[in-house]
Amino acid sequence: MNLSLSEQWLTMSLMLLSGIGMGVVFDGYRVVSHELRFAKWTLPVLDLLYWAAATLVVFQVLSAGNNGEVRAYVFLGLALGVIVYFLLLSRAVIATVRWTIGAVRYLIGLFIRMFHIFIIRPLLVLYKLCKVLIGFLLALTIFCYKIVIQLIRPFWLLARWMFRPLLRPLMKWLMPIVARWRLGEKGANLASKTAAWWKRTFGRKP
């Protein structure tokens, strides 16, 4: 199919832009892979993916321009686009990509610092305050417990002195019953623990 001169120029212009676009993507991919330090074994894979994507895009552009017909001016347009890009635009694109990567890194670092200042530090301060408060309340509780024990002790001694005559006959009545229990070792342990408690509490055996 013969194309008009205007259609040929349009197709050549599209190929020129495609060549420039290929140069932009190539430089961007090369700078990103260098700045992010991709593993060396991934570079051939990425190159293959780049050329496959570039071929597909150029074919789509060519299909839109002249229904996919491959002519000499197609390759001429691509070559001119690549040459123009590397002569005039490559350095600017590389600098822009590097600046963008640096800006993204700075913003990520700034976000991390802000997160640490406004979230992590307040949480750490709150944790330390809670820890100090819990320690203070625990110490206060122990202190109050000791005071209460000291206050109750005279009443406990008085009650023990008053009820000792009543508890002595009760224990004399309970001890033979406990001794007659046929619980084996558990019964003996219960009896010995009861006798030991009585001795500690009232100072002598029942």
Side-chain angles (χ1 to χ4, degrees), residues 7-198:
E7 291 175 335
Q8 292 180 12
W9 277 108
L10 175 63
T11 302
M12 187 172 178
S13 300
L14 291 175
M15 290 299 100
L16 178 68
L17 294 176
S18 298
I20 295 175
M22 288 174 60
V24 171
V25 174
F26 179 78
D27 273 345
Y29 140 70
R30 184 179 61 176
V31 173
V32 170
S33 63
H34 179 266
E35 292 292 330
L36 300 184
R37 298 180 181 179
F38 289 174
K40 291 183 178 180
W41 64 269
T42 63
L43 297 181
V45 178
L46 294 175
D47 288 340
L48 182 62
L49 292 175
Y50 165 77
W51 287 112
T55 302
L56 181 61
V57 170
V58 169
F59 179 76
Q60 292 296 326
V61 173
L62 186 61
S63 297
N66 65 352
N67 297 321
E69 290 189 11
V70 179
R71 301 291 179 89
Y73 57 82
V74 171
F75 297 102
L76 179 61
L78 281 174
L80 287 176
V82 171
I83 292 171
V84 168
Y85 169 77
F86 281 104
L87 289 178
L88 302 178
L89 303 175
S90 179
R91 292 183 179 179
V93 170
I94 291 174
T96 302
V97 173
R98 286 178 176 171
W99 180 87
T100 303
I101 294 174
V104 172
R105 285 177 173 173
Y106 173 78
L107 291 176
I108 293 175
L110 180 63
F111 173 77
I112 293 174
R113 289 194 295 272
M114 293 297 102
F115 182 79
H116 186 268
I117 292 173
F118 293 106
I119 303 296
I120 301 299
R121 285 188 179 178
L123 289 177
L124 290 177
V125 172
L126 182 62
Y127 167 74
K128 291 180 179 180
L129 289 177
C130 291
K131 188 176 179 180
V132 171
L133 181 61
I134 292 173
F136 172 76
L137 292 177
L138 182 60
L140 182 62
T141 302
I142 295 174
F143 177 74
C144 294
Y145 170 77
K146 290 181 178 180
I147 292 178
V148 171
I149 292 298
Q150 293 298 323
L151 293 176
I152 292 177
R153 180 175 175 80
F155 297 98
W156 160 249
L157 295 175
L158 178 62
R160 188 179 68 172
W161 178 78
M162 292 176 59
F163 289 102
R164 180 182 294 179
L166 298 176
L167 290 175
R168 189 179 301 167
L170 179 62
M171 292 303 298
K172 286 183 178 180
W173 176 73
L174 287 176
M175 289 303 294
I177 297 176
V178 174
R180 286 196 297 270
W181 282 357
R182 294 183 178 180
L183 298 178
E185 185 179 353
K186 291 184 178 180
N189 289 336
L190 179 61
S192 62
K193 290 180 179 179
T194 303
W197 174 82
W198 181 272

